[in-house]
Amino acid sequence: MKLGGSLFTIGVAIVAACGNDIGTPNTYDVDGGTGTGLPCDVQQLISDHCASCHGSPLAGGAPVRLTTYGDLTRVKNGSTYAALSLARMRSTTSPMPPSPAAPVPTNLIDGFQAWVDSGMPAGDCGGGTGPFDTPAQCTSNSYWTGGDTESPVMKPGAACLGCHSGGEEPFSLGGTVYPTAHEPNDCNGAMGGATVQIVDANGLTQNLAVNSAGNFYSALPVTFPIRAKVIANGGERAMVGAVTSGDCNSCHTQTGASMAPGRIVLP
């Protein structure tokens, strides 16, 4: 398909990071109800900066879930997982979350440390979920109905490079960004306003605007492996590791493939 001037100066990619698509929702029983058992400020830090990998399902190679009071108060080698998490958030050599994800702001880490130092009292902020612990749904409630008609907004959610790997204007990268993790093919995704940033093995950075169907793509050459993140709403969601494919939706399917936990999701 000829897209002419619709290419952006930019990049593309997978973002929620390929990881283990396993597990069940991890909850903590609080006064007979289902919640995380965490104070609201702690729960918010975990949700914003940890749950992409340490949630349900696990992703990015994360070995344990860290989303509930029970998770964080478990002990490993004499230290709670909360204390271990705190040390990694403050580490300059092996920080969590790892690059290229943005570090946790210092004031939030200080608040987390104050909670740990006070004996980790339980909270009652209610239920909490990771970004991939969501139902199957089409959030936009609108779909691509044009079949194979050539368009920048065609077939959101479908693998791009299967068709756009040759011809007059082949893609090097392509995918779709969604509001939630398990949206079906042809469902229109994030309605613009987001950027997918790619950094290739040579340090070349591309920034691709997400269009009205959630699609992004590039015909610019890249050197693999690449790192990627989605930037939107004043936040970002980054892949944990580098990947060797630019066909983002081939891994980031509705249910997840090749160890990806689901769709590329807005931060």
Side-chain angles (χ1 to χ4, degrees):
M1 83 196 187
K2 178 65 175 176
L3 300 180
S6 63
L7 289 174
F8 303 88
T9 302
I10 81 42
V12 192
I14 322 182
V15 157
C18 291
N20 298 318
D21 190 11
I22 59 175
T24 56
N26 194 23
T27 57
Y28 178 77
D29 191 23
V30 183
D31 296 331
T34 297
T36 65
L38 295 170
C40 290
D41 56 343
V42 174
Q43 180 174 299
Q44 191 63 52
L45 183 154
I46 294 295
S47 177
D48 289 348
H49 299 281
C50 308
S52 286
C53 292
H54 292 279
S56 177
L58 295 172
V64 294
R65 293 184 183 84
L66 298 173
T67 57
T68 71
Y69 184 82
D71 294 337
L72 292 172
T73 55
R74 285 184 296 118
V75 175
K76 177 182 179 181
N77 298 330
S79 296
T80 64
Y81 274 93
L84 294 171
S85 299
L86 176 63
R88 291 296 300 274
M89 284 189 279
R90 291 207 184 276
S91 174
T92 58
T93 56
S94 57
M96 280 292 176
S99 177
V104 181
T106 300
N107 66 308
L108 299 184
I109 299 177
D110 290 344
F112 188 86
Q113 178 159 6
W115 176 70
V116 172
D117 291 346
S118 66
M120 297 175 292
D124 58 358
C125 202
T129 61
F132 300 99
D133 183 18
T134 56
Q137 61 188 341
C138 179
T139 303
S140 68
N141 200 32
S142 63
Y143 294 83
W144 167 257
T145 59
D148 291 332
T149 303
E150 295 181 358
S151 170
V153 296
M154 69 184 298
K155 295 188 174 181
C160 303
L161 270 61
C163 293
H164 295 288
S165 58
E168 183 179 350
E169 197 171 74
F171 289 178
S172 56
L173 305 155
T176 309
V177 178
Y178 281 98
T180 67
H182 304 296
E183 312 231 7
N185 279 3
D186 292 334
C187 170
N188 290 316
M191 301 297 184
T195 298
V196 177
Q197 183 180 92
I198 298 301
V199 180
D200 78 359
N202 293 329
L204 175 66
T205 299
Q206 302 184 66
N207 296 286
L208 179 66
V210 174
N211 68 25
S212 61
N215 292 339
F216 60 90
Y217 48 86
S218 175
L220 299 180
V222 294
T223 302
F224 292 97
I226 58 173
R227 292 182 176 271
K229 62 183 176 182
V230 175
I231 303 169
N233 306 318
E236 61 181 49
R237 189 182 304 284
M239 294 187 64
V240 172
V243 294
T244 57
S245 171
D247 199 3
C248 305
N249 289 346
S250 65
C251 287
H252 289 279
T253 64
Q254 179 176 3
T255 57
S258 300
M259 299 182 69
R263 294 298 191 184
I264 303 169
V265 183
L266 286 171

